[in-house]
Amino acid sequence: MKKFCLKASILLLVILLVTNYLDVEAQVCRPSGTIRGKKPPPGQCNQENDSDCCVEGKLYTTYTCSPSLSSHTKAYLTINSFEKGGDGGGPSECDNQYHSDDTPVVALSTGWFNKKGRCLHNITISANGRSVVAMVVDECDSTMGCDEDHDYQPPCPNNIVDASRAVWEALGVSRNNWGGLDITWSDA
Ligand SMILES: *[C@@H]1O[C@H](CO)[C@@H](O)[C@H](O)[C@H]1NC(C)=O
Ligand SMILES: CC(=O)N[C@H]1CO[C@H](CO)[C@@H](O)[C@@H]1O
């Protein structure tokens, strides 16, 4: 009986070690939860430039992590206004200020924002054979959404670089294609 217990616990230990090792190896970013959409009150949720509004009852996945970084991390570029009254909501989280959309600034998904760890650091964004250096000024919150603080927009996916129009211009994207683009980025 005693011998069996020892064998069983060794086996269990091995299984735990192996699964733990595989997890670290794969650097998987799993969802952290879900949010159920609430209908924006009248006049809320600025739909300027195709911003999404939460749909009542719809489930949105949340993340505290982003995909792991490489020298050319794949991401999805979206457009945001960092100006007062724009679709970005309040001032930027890094410096509590608004920014002109004529300057190349971005918000990053929560995991990449790294608890303000990239605040006011620059990243290089590449697409279309061009690249642009942009400053990180804000978080695209992957952990929360569908509330007043987030202008009743859904939580951010975990792989977003949300950029001012200056970034879109610098990448040479024609105006009617602004809004969504596969890019790669790295720390500048
Ligand atoms: C990022 O770039 C801006 C504009 O070129 C520059 O003023 C700033 O010092 C840079 N930030 C860092 C941390 O290098
Ligand atoms: C960030 C951005 O491009 N905002 C634009 C959204 O649309 C309005 C109206 O077309 C423009 O004036 C903003 O510049």
Side-chain angles (χ1 to χ4, degrees):
M1 189 60 183
K2 214 172 181 179
K3 207 169 176 185
F4 170 77
C5 278
L6 186 65
K7 267 190 189 163
S9 38
I10 287 176
L11 184 66
L12 193 65
L13 189 68
V14 169
I15 289 172
L16 278 175
L17 283 175
V18 167
T19 47
N20 198 23
Y21 174 77
L22 287 179
D23 243 20
V24 170
E25 272 300 277
Q27 300 265 330
V28 227
C29 170
R30 297 205 175 84
S32 57
T34 53
I35 294 174
R36 194 170 285 281
K38 286 191 288 266
K39 197 179 171 169
Q44 300 282 332
C45 192
N46 182 342
Q47 278 185 290
E48 186 182 325
N49 313 328
D50 301 329
S51 286
D52 244 4
C53 294
C54 288
V55 172
E56 188 166 17
K58 189 172 169 186
L59 275 184
Y60 296 94
T61 307
T62 57
Y63 292 89
T64 57
C65 53
S66 291
S68 57
L69 299 177
S70 68
S71 56
H72 297 279
T73 308
K74 284 184 186 165
Y76 192 64
L77 192 74
T78 53
I79 191 162
N80 184 47
S81 173
F82 296 81
E83 296 182 352
K84 195 165 187 198
D87 61 353
S92 296
E93 203 172 312
C94 289
D95 54 6
N96 204 33
Q97 287 180 17
Y98 293 99
H99 295 267
S100 162
D101 291 327
D102 293 326
T103 58
V105 289
V106 296
L108 296 179
S109 294
T110 294
W112 290 338
F113 188 66
N114 190 23
K115 300 187 172 85
K116 296 196 176 181
R118 283 204 165 73
C119 269
L120 309 184
H121 287 239
N122 294 312
I123 65 168
T124 305
I125 299 167
S126 304
N128 288 335
R130 299 203 198 191
S131 63
V132 55
V133 174
M135 200 194 286
V136 178
V137 295
D138 211 350
E139 175 176 12
C140 192
D141 199 338
S142 314
T143 69
M144 286 187 289
C146 303
D147 57 11
E148 194 179 351
D149 268 2
H150 300 87
D151 200 27
Y152 294 90
Q153 291 173 22
C156 198
N158 65 1
N159 64 338
I160 296 296
V161 175
D162 199 17
S164 64
R165 81 173 159 245
V167 171
W168 287 88
E169 269 165 7
L171 291 175
V173 181
S174 66
R175 201 168 276 255
N176 49 342
N177 288 322
W178 286 4
L181 181 69
D182 290 321
I183 56 139
T184 62
W185 71 274
S186 60
D187 288 306

